[in-house]
Amino acid sequence: MAAQPKPLPLEPRNYLKGGGLIGWLTTVDHKRVAVLYGVTALFLLGIGGLEALVMRLQLWEPNNHLISAHFYNEMFTMHGTTMIFLVLMPLELGFFTNFVMPLQIGARDVAFPRLNALSFWIFLVGAVLMHLSWIWGGFPNRGWFGYANLTESYYSPGLNIDFWDISLLILGVSTLLTAINFFVTMVMMRAKGMSYMRMTLFCWAMLVTVILVLLAFPALTVGLLFLLLDRFFGTHFYIAAYGATPILWQHLFWLFGHPEVYILALPSFGIISEIVPVFSRKPLFGYPMMVYSIILIGFLSYGVWGHHMFATGMGPVADSAFAITSMLIAIPTGIKIFSWIATVWGGSLRMKTAFYFALAMIVEFTIGGLSGIMHASAPVDLQQTDSYFVVAHFHYVLFGGVMFALLGAIYYWWPKVTGKMLSEKLGKWQFWLTIIGFNGTFFPMHWLGTWGMPRRVYTYGAGLGWTGLNQFETVCAFILGFSFLLMYINLVLSTARGEDAPADPWDGRTLEWAVSSPPPEYNFANPVEVEGRDAYWLMKYGRGGAREAQMFAEGKIPPVPQNMQAPPEKPIHVPTPSIFPLLIAGCLFMVAIGLLIGWWRIMEIGGGTMFICIVGMCLEYPKWGEKSHNLDEEAPHSLGIDLRKAGLWTFLGSECVFFASLIATYVVYKSRNFGGPGASILEIPLTSGSTFALLMSSLMMVLALHSIEQGRVKWMRFWLVCTMALGCVFLGVEAFEFLGFFQKGLAMQTDLFGQCFYTLVGTHGVHVTIGVIWLGSILASSFRKNFGKSKALSVEMVGLYWHFVDIVWVVIFTLVYLMQQVKGA
Amino acid sequence: MSEITQVIETGPFEEHPAHPGAGAYVIVAVALCILTALEVTVAYLPALRPVMIPVLIILAIAKFALIAMFFMHLHYDSRLLSTFFLGGLLAAFVLFIALLFLFVYLDRHRAIIM
Ligand code: HEM
Ligand SMILES: [Cu+2]
């Protein structure tokens, strides 16, 4: 089973060729994974678009009853959820970043190729589950933001919100894995000579984007976890009757939600910053400012979530703070817009479809940004919130900004992905129809909104004067739909029998154009060295510009330089395909569906098999990512740090945010105990004991690492067993403590204190349990033959996780137990 | 003899700038125990009640730092890894404080309305 990566044949093989169906199902090549994402997301884009057209038909005339109000709710929920989580994110992260980023930084693949495949299959599970609820009584219908307490069982008794909740959790896992993967790739695997300030702006945008993912998604995870507990176990995280504050959901959701809109927007800024210089034949204006403004946007976007909540009565201080931060975001955004314009200014423009879309994006996005600044002012927002004005705003940013950039990206990179040029003629037709359809559909919404037409409304009265504009919008929406049909036709026809694409059709500036279209399986035959920004431009033209001017005068694009075409000097190891990502995702599907419809047997089978598959995946490549793996060549910027270790640390950074959200909720809710015994029930002596056990287990853990680093496997086993034993003591005491509390009448459902206590401490307990299992598998694998010093990293990894769990306990012990003394007496 | 084989086994890759020895680990563990004992004592001493919260926080931070720096080797490993972790930690901290402020504020606000 433990297949060694085998050297590739030396002549380049187009990554699309060979392998058959099995090849695609087991692929770990970032380019193939990207294509899987792309095809899935483009399909879902069609579905999301049809849902929108259904809504537009329903709004055609006043008092219309074409579809039921219930179905209308399902449509706008599925439309929003699909477009954001199943179309824009996978197109940006899964498709374009996956495909282009490793090429642009000169890498052969991402840091964790199998994890990449796993992300895709998990994404697919989430996407399918989201739609499956239809079989069990209907689609999710509480909006993409799923405001509590409308999502509670009392108001939404069906299974659909359960499906929504669990699908989003699953999609979150997929996104998190992708983010860790890309983060490590961009930080460590850039080619020699590619310093941060030589990275392409697309990569910069993605670097900040994945950091946002890492720091924002945990808040959503926690919010969804609470909802899950409410719905499945009868807690009351969002039920005011039990003293809870339903607004908590909005805080957690928008804490994720606003960074999320920049998770969507930043990649599109990156795309535009690639397309504009290429078609203007000028380097990007103000590169450093562009980089700083991306960083600043990322930073600010984390502190503005409250602008979605002005109407909830946060009070003047909070309102003002959020209004100010929101308006500040306009500054770096403005810088970007000026930079793009300055790049175009005075350039020798080539008016290709990709460039059309890029230019249009700059205009449409600016309109959306301006309406954003309008309702960043709290009093203005009170007029505009939940009206069609907001619908206009976010379609101008999400469609006019993000979707236009993606359309540009499709026309720009499709030749690289498929090796076929898209039809420019169809492209221009699509462009103009999109412009007409998009502006016609969404611009009048500004008026409708200010006239009072509420958002998410099923139908409207005849005498309100809204009919004409609504009909106009519906017509335009169909024009827009038609323009997308043209795109699909273009994609299919051109890919089937279009003109072959040269390696460098646009006279590109970045490294992806230095390899053939489609690229060879291993991307680069020989390790790349980069000499400056616009790396490929420098390779083609050198510095100075004389050759550039000459070629331009002759109207020629220089051929790919010799050294980029040279055959590989050394055999190349590409990661071997693996079936485990697909299997794990399949098992996850079984677990999720079993949980949702209460089919416990399938859940057990799925869970068991999944465990086996995860272990299988870990054992599959004993060598992958270890020191013997050639870090110097594959990851020139790794500073000798193993990629897996970097990945784990990244994950731990993200876990901090997860626990912070849990702990904050505990602190907010703990004193709101009606009827239950409250926090005075906590016993410090008992927990001091278990704290001691956990601390000592950490000592045992480092001793185990120490032993294996010295090559003493037997000692390592001894210390590992001690670590596990102490971990079990900790868990035992916890179980004993929980039992005692139950007997004293504190259940999870008793009061807010009970639910927060059990959730926080229990989640930590789950982490400890995972740690024990992980330790156990390391212990088991230490009996394999070649286990020795070279495996120290596996022990170090589990150790890092174990100590992290210990650290979290240090915080919990202080905040939950010890500080209780302060108020308790 | 055994030492020679070890060298061969590791090959030219020596990743860690030398992790500390077992002795150092034990010292850290002892420090952790002492700190924990202090924490519990502080929590039970009525005289310390006014300063209890800051003292407990400082003690917890000390434990946190000891584990992260020595057991998790941040002190020895590349700065890069510390950056990854501290970045997450900082975001977590800001989020925690922001949520507390918002809710405390919200509670007061609500009390006035009601
Ligand atoms: C200058 C920058 C921006 C500002 C000041 C801004 C401000 C706002 C405000 C205040 C709202 C809340 C409106 C309400 O519900 O009453 C809002 C909603 C929204 N914004 Fe923006 N925005 C900006 C840019 C963006 C960008 C770049 C995107 C996405 C790419 C975006 C996506 C959204 C979405 C999706 C909503 C609606 C969320 C919902 O309620 O479902 N915004 N924006
Ligand atoms: Cu926002």
Side-chain angles (χ1 to χ4, degrees):
Chain A
M1 188 175 57
Q4 291 284 333
K6 57 173 184 300
L8 273 192
L10 292 186
E11 58 285 5
R13 191 174 68 180
N14 165 355
Y15 82 98
L16 288 167
K17 291 258 165 64
L21 180 65
I22 301 290
W24 281 92
L25 294 180
T26 59
T27 187
V28 297
D29 180 343
H30 73 100
K31 299 178 289 302
R32 283 196 170 196
V33 175
V35 169
L36 289 174
Y37 263 115
V39 170
T40 317
L42 284 173
F43 172 76
L44 287 159
L45 170 68
I47 299 202
L50 290 180
E51 284 158 356
L53 290 183
V54 171
M55 285 189 278
R56 280 316 322 168
L57 279 180
Q58 162 61 27
L59 293 174
W60 172 253
E61 54 185 9
N63 303 315
N64 197 359
H65 294 285
L66 179 73
I67 57 175
S68 70
H70 184 78
F71 190 61
Y72 188 84
N73 290 353
E74 295 183 352
M75 284 295 100
F76 75 65
T77 304
M78 286 307 285
H79 168 72
T81 311
T82 302
M83 287 304 190
I84 288 186
F85 293 102
L86 308 182
V87 177
L88 295 185
M89 288 191 66
L91 277 182
E92 292 180 336
L93 284 142
F95 185 32
F96 287 118
T97 311
N98 225 337
F99 196 96
V100 174
M101 180 271 290
L103 287 166
Q104 284 194 339
I105 63 171
R108 289 216 171 109
D109 208 311
V110 290
F112 311 108
R114 288 179 305 155
L115 209 59
N116 198 16
L118 184 62
S119 294
F120 169 72
W121 295 113
I122 292 184
F123 158 74
L124 192 63
V125 169
V128 170
L129 263 188
M130 186 72 80
H131 288 86
L132 270 193
S133 70
W134 177 71
I135 301 178
W136 282 276
F139 292 118
N141 58 350
R142 294 308 186 224
W144 84 281
F145 37 77
Y147 279 162
N149 46 15
L150 203 55
T151 45
E152 293 287 348
S153 311
Y154 181 79
Y155 301 104
S156 305
L159 284 182
N160 50 355
I161 298 300
D162 296 340
F163 271 82
W164 180 79
D165 187 316
I166 289 186
S167 308
L168 282 186
L169 279 172
I170 289 176
L171 291 169
V173 172
S174 155
T175 315
L176 190 72
L177 294 182
T178 306
I180 295 174
N181 207 344
F182 289 177
F183 180 73
V184 176
T185 309
M186 280 184 277
V187 171
M188 306 198 140
M189 295 177 71
R190 283 168 287 126
K192 281 216 177 68
M194 183 168 285
S195 59
Y196 282 110
M197 288 314 259
R198 286 176 176 177
M199 234 170 28
T200 65
L201 258 167
F202 179 64
C203 291
W204 256 113
M206 292 321 301
L207 185 61
V208 178
T209 302
V210 294
I211 293 176
L212 283 180
V213 169
L214 290 168
L215 300 182
F217 262 75
L220 177 68
T221 308
V222 169
L224 290 169
L225 176 72
F226 290 161
L227 182 61
L228 193 89
L229 292 174
D230 275 9
R231 294 184 60 90
F232 280 69
F233 297 102
T235 53
H236 328 284
F237 279 99
Y238 305 123
I239 303 178
Y242 291 84
T245 313
I247 293 298
L248 174 67
W249 165 263
Q250 290 203 31
H251 278 299
L252 291 174
F253 184 81
W254 288 117
L255 236 164
F256 144 80
H258 191 88
E260 166 71 15
V261 307
Y262 276 95
I263 290 167
L264 298 169
L266 284 179
S268 78
F269 296 170
I271 290 169
I272 299 303
S273 309
E274 294 299 306
I275 296 180
V276 164
V278 166
F279 291 93
S280 312
R281 222 183 142 78
K282 270 176 68 189
L284 189 73
F285 181 86
Y287 174 98
M289 279 317 277
M290 285 298 248
V291 171
Y292 302 143
S293 62
I294 288 185
I295 297 176
L296 194 62
I297 289 178
F299 197 72
L300 284 174
S301 76
Y302 203 62
V304 300
W305 78 87
H307 67 215
H308 295 270
M309 300 170 60
F310 287 142
T312 61
M314 290 182 296
V317 175
D319 278 4
S320 316
F322 282 121
I324 292 169
T325 49
S326 303
M327 291 183 188
L328 281 180
I329 283 212
I331 298 172
T333 315
I335 292 180
K336 307 198 77 67
I337 291 173
F338 283 120
S339 262
W340 291 325
I341 296 175
T343 310
V344 177
W345 193 266
S348 5
L349 311 186
R350 262 174 309 147
M351 300 310 288
K352 300 285 185 192
T353 310
F355 193 41
Y356 272 47
F357 276 112
L359 291 178
M361 179 276 186
I362 300 176
V363 177
E364 310 287 11
F365 179 78
T366 306
I367 300 178
L370 289 176
S371 57
I373 300 173
M374 288 165 78
H375 42 229
S377 155
V380 176
D381 184 61
L382 292 184
Q383 297 303 309
Q384 296 176 344
T385 189
D386 279 341
S387 79
Y388 259 83
F389 192 89
V390 170
V391 181
H393 161 67
F394 66 71
H395 280 92
Y396 267 87
V397 279
L398 287 175
F399 199 127
V402 181
M403 197 66 223
F404 270 58
L406 283 170
L407 290 171
I410 288 177
Y411 280 90
Y412 182 58
W413 277 313
W414 196 263
K416 185 54 65 188
V417 176
T418 62
K420 298 285 181 183
M421 302 299 288
L422 287 176
S423 152
E424 279 291 316
K425 197 166 149 214
L426 270 176
K428 298 276 165 61
W429 269 99
Q430 186 209 343
F431 173 78
W432 288 113
L433 287 175
T434 308
I435 287 286
I436 296 170
F438 166 71
N439 286 296
T441 309
F442 295 107
F443 202 84
M445 289 185 186
H446 290 110
W447 285 303
L448 283 174
T450 18
W451 296 344
M453 179 160 166
R455 184 182 166 186
R456 305 172 211 128
V457 72
Y458 162 60
T459 190
Y460 50 90
L464 295 166
W466 301 344
T467 317
L469 279 186
N470 269 302
Q471 294 191 337
F472 179 73
E473 285 173 2
T474 301
V475 172
C476 292
F478 274 85
I479 297 178
L480 190 56
F482 180 69
S483 80
F484 272 80
L485 193 63
L486 284 187
M487 177 187 78
Y488 285 114
I489 293 175
N490 196 351
L491 295 186
V492 173
L493 283 189
S494 303
T495 311
R497 33 166 227 248
E499 188 191 324
D500 281 344
D504 180 19
W506 316 120
D507 202 2
R509 317 179 73 86
T510 43
L511 282 177
E512 74 269 32
W513 306 108
V515 297
S516 57
S517 309
E521 199 171 348
Y522 44 66
N523 294 358
F524 299 97
N526 297 301
V528 189
E529 269 206 66
V530 171
E531 274 154 24
R533 238 171 252 162
D534 285 343
Y536 182 49
W537 191 264
L538 282 176
M539 284 181 191
K540 278 191 292 193
Y541 294 111
R543 291 190 196 272
R547 180 166 154 77
E548 200 181 310
Q550 183 202 343
M551 282 298 205
F552 183 62
E554 291 169 19
K556 278 197 228 144
I557 297 177
V560 177
Q562 270 305 304
N563 63 337
M564 292 305 288
Q565 286 177 318
E569 281 157 16
K570 282 192 251 169
I572 297 173
H573 295 275
V574 292
T576 331
S578 169
I579 187 72
F580 287 115
L582 178 63
L583 290 182
I584 292 176
C587 297
L588 181 67
F589 182 74
M590 282 161 71
V591 173
I593 206 84
L595 179 72
L596 281 163
I597 62 175
W599 189 5
W600 307 124
R601 181 46 52 81
I602 200 91
M603 207 176 128
E604 285 161 22
I605 297 174
T609 326
M610 181 150 79
F611 179 70
I612 296 171
C613 290
I614 292 177
V615 173
M617 184 158 152
C618 294
L619 294 180
E620 196 180 20
Y621 299 130
K623 284 239 151 60
W624 177 252
E626 282 180 13
K627 291 174 209 153
S628 51
H629 184 69
N630 195 348
L631 273 183
D632 265 357
E633 187 170 307
E634 303 289 341
H637 292 266
S638 65
L639 307 174
I641 302 168
D642 191 283
L643 299 181
R644 293 182 300 172
K645 193 164 145 188
L648 187 68
W649 271 113
T650 315
F651 171 69
L652 295 183
S654 176
E655 281 267 279
C656 290
V657 180
F658 175 79
F659 275 107
S661 316
L662 278 179
I663 294 174
T665 309
Y666 173 84
V667 175
V668 168
Y669 274 175
K670 67 170 180 179
S671 51
R672 303 193 194 166
N673 49 319
F674 303 118
S680 57
I681 198 172
L682 301 173
E683 290 172 44
I684 295 181
L686 182 70
T687 354
S688 306
S690 63
T691 305
F692 179 72
L694 203 58
L695 287 175
M696 284 306 106
S697 78
S698 268
L699 176 62
M700 306 293 128
M701 187 65 239
V702 274
L703 291 179
L705 176 60
H706 191 62
S707 308
I708 189 68
E709 277 173 347
Q710 316 250 299
R712 288 182 293 218
V713 177
K714 291 223 174 86
W715 275 104
M716 181 211 70
R717 288 196 197 120
F718 172 75
W719 294 123
L720 277 188
V721 171
C722 293
T723 315
M724 287 170 70
L726 285 171
C728 290
V729 168
F730 177 84
L731 288 173
V733 173
E734 194 157 278
F736 175 75
E737 184 193 24
F738 281 14
L739 267 180
F741 290 173
F742 273 126
Q743 278 159 6
K744 289 188 198 149
L746 183 72
M748 225 178 154
Q749 297 80 358
T750 309
D751 57 11
L752 292 189
F753 167 73
Q755 67 188 33
C756 292
F757 171 78
Y758 284 119
T759 308
L760 174 58
V761 178
T763 310
H764 176 264
V766 171
H767 277 72
V768 178
T769 314
I770 294 174
V772 172
I773 296 174
W774 190 352
L775 285 167
S777 19
I778 299 280
L779 186 66
S781 71
S782 78
F783 288 97
R784 280 158 43 117
K785 233 200 291 158
N786 52 1
F787 198 93
K789 242 172 144 169
S790 59
K791 293 285 184 292
L793 186 80
S794 324
V795 183
E796 192 176 353
M797 299 263 291
V798 68
L800 287 176
Y801 177 82
W802 190 260
H803 300 309
F804 175 75
V805 172
D806 198 1
I807 278 189
V808 173
W809 184 252
V810 167
V811 178
I812 294 181
F813 181 58
T814 305
L815 273 178
V816 175
Y817 290 88
L818 294 176
M819 289 203 180
Q820 186 41 42
Q821 285 296 102
V822 183
K823 293 217 182 93
Chain B
M1 175 63 212
S2 70
E3 282 198 52
I4 297 173
T5 30
Q6 275 163 24
V7 172
I8 294 169
E9 231 189 272
T10 334
F13 319 97
E14 193 44 71
E15 182 195 340
H16 308 294
H19 285 166
Y25 289 141
V26 175
I27 294 177
V28 172
V30 171
L32 286 172
C33 292
I34 296 176
L35 285 172
T36 309
L38 268 178
E39 279 180 329
V40 177
T41 323
V42 170
Y44 276 108
L45 281 184
L48 284 180
R49 191 134 295 164
V51 291
M52 188 180 284
I53 292 191
V55 171
L56 284 179
I57 290 178
I58 291 170
L59 288 173
I61 291 178
K63 283 165 74 180
F64 194 115
L66 277 179
I67 298 178
M69 284 165 63
F70 296 100
F71 285 179
M72 298 170 92
H73 301 138
L74 281 184
H75 184 63
Y76 308 96
D77 276 351
S78 157
R79 280 261 194 78
L80 198 60
L81 296 178
S82 307
T83 319
F84 291 1
F85 187 56
L86 288 181
L89 202 60
L90 185 73
F93 180 72
V94 171
L95 181 153
F96 179 75
I97 298 294
L99 276 181
L100 286 200
F101 268 118
L102 279 168
F103 272 86
V104 169
Y105 188 76
L106 200 67
D107 279 357
R108 220 173 272 151
H109 201 63
R110 199 171 48 176
I112 295 167
I113 299 172
M114 291 195 306

